Amino acid sequence: MNLTDYVREVSREDFGKEFSHEAFWNNRLRSTGGRFFPKDGHLDFNRKILDQFGLEIFRKIVRHELCHYHLYFEKKGYKHGDKEFKDLLSAVDGLRYAPSLAQENASLLFYSCRDCGQVYQRKRRINVEKYRCGKCRGRLFLVKT
């Protein structure tokens, strides 16, 4: 799928206006579905949203970014808190927030104190020879998960 052509199609069908800039995939986006850049008018989108949630949800995110785009170039309130943005977003049935993406490698490690039993939850490994319990200074060990 050519992303720029798809965004142009959505703009014509849902807004009745032309999208005359470029749209790109941005693999660095983590918590957002897309971004609008007022400086040069281009749009970035998160491919993971399309892969995980499908074309219907992705189209609603494209509508959200196009609301920013069209309102900015019409010199109207294009930010999330502006009334014009909220009104246009609801009129075209865009998403207010991107759905939450499942975190990759979200496995957690649990450490416990040998003396007091305090449990610590961490995303990264810690050196149990170097670090001690913050409550009683006892030795830590990795709990089998």
Side-chain angles (χ1 to χ4, degrees):
M1 157 169 59
N2 184 327
L3 183 60
T4 300
D5 291 342
Y6 179 73
V7 173
R8 286 186 178 134
E9 175 188 321
V10 171
S11 183
R12 276 192 302 275
E13 291 175 5
D14 298 344
F15 292 85
K17 301 173 186 174
E18 288 297 318
F19 173 71
S20 58
H21 289 83
E22 294 290 316
F24 302 102
W25 294 115
N26 186 340
N27 295 326
R28 294 182 312 273
L29 295 179
R30 295 280 179 248
S31 62
T32 184
R35 286 175 41 191
F36 164 61
F37 292 85
K39 188 174 183 179
D40 63 357
H42 83 274
L43 301 175
D44 278 0
F45 291 98
N46 188 344
R47 184 183 285 275
K48 292 176 188 165
I49 295 285
L50 177 61
D51 295 342
Q52 221 171 33
F53 297 101
L55 195 58
E56 182 180 343
I57 297 295
F58 182 69
R59 185 178 183 110
K60 291 183 179 192
I61 289 173
V62 170
R63 289 179 192 148
H64 176 107
E65 298 309 322
L66 284 171
C67 286
H68 289 297
Y69 175 84
H70 290 302
L71 289 170
Y72 176 79
F73 288 110
E74 293 170 6
K75 299 197 182 335
K76 295 181 180 176
Y78 70 96
K79 296 181 179 175
H80 287 122
D82 295 331
K83 183 178 181 349
E84 291 147 330
F85 176 80
K86 290 178 183 177
D87 291 345
L88 182 59
L89 188 65
S90 74
V92 296
D93 189 32
L95 278 182
R96 180 86 168 106
Y97 301 103
S100 181
L101 291 165
Q103 289 203 353
E104 300 166 11
N105 301 329
S107 58
L108 296 173
L109 301 169
F110 294 92
Y111 293 89
S112 182
C113 175
R114 293 191 190 279
D115 297 339
C116 70
Q118 175 73 26
V119 177
Y120 298 94
Q121 177 180 320
R122 297 289 182 266
K123 289 184 180 178
R124 294 184 179 182
R125 287 192 165 273
I126 62 172
N127 184 348
V128 295
E129 299 298 321
K130 181 177 179 182
Y131 295 99
R132 298 291 186 122
C133 174
K135 190 173 176 185
C136 72
R137 308 296 298 150
R139 295 183 62 91
L140 298 175
F141 68 97
L142 178 63
V143 177
K144 300 289 182 202
T145 55

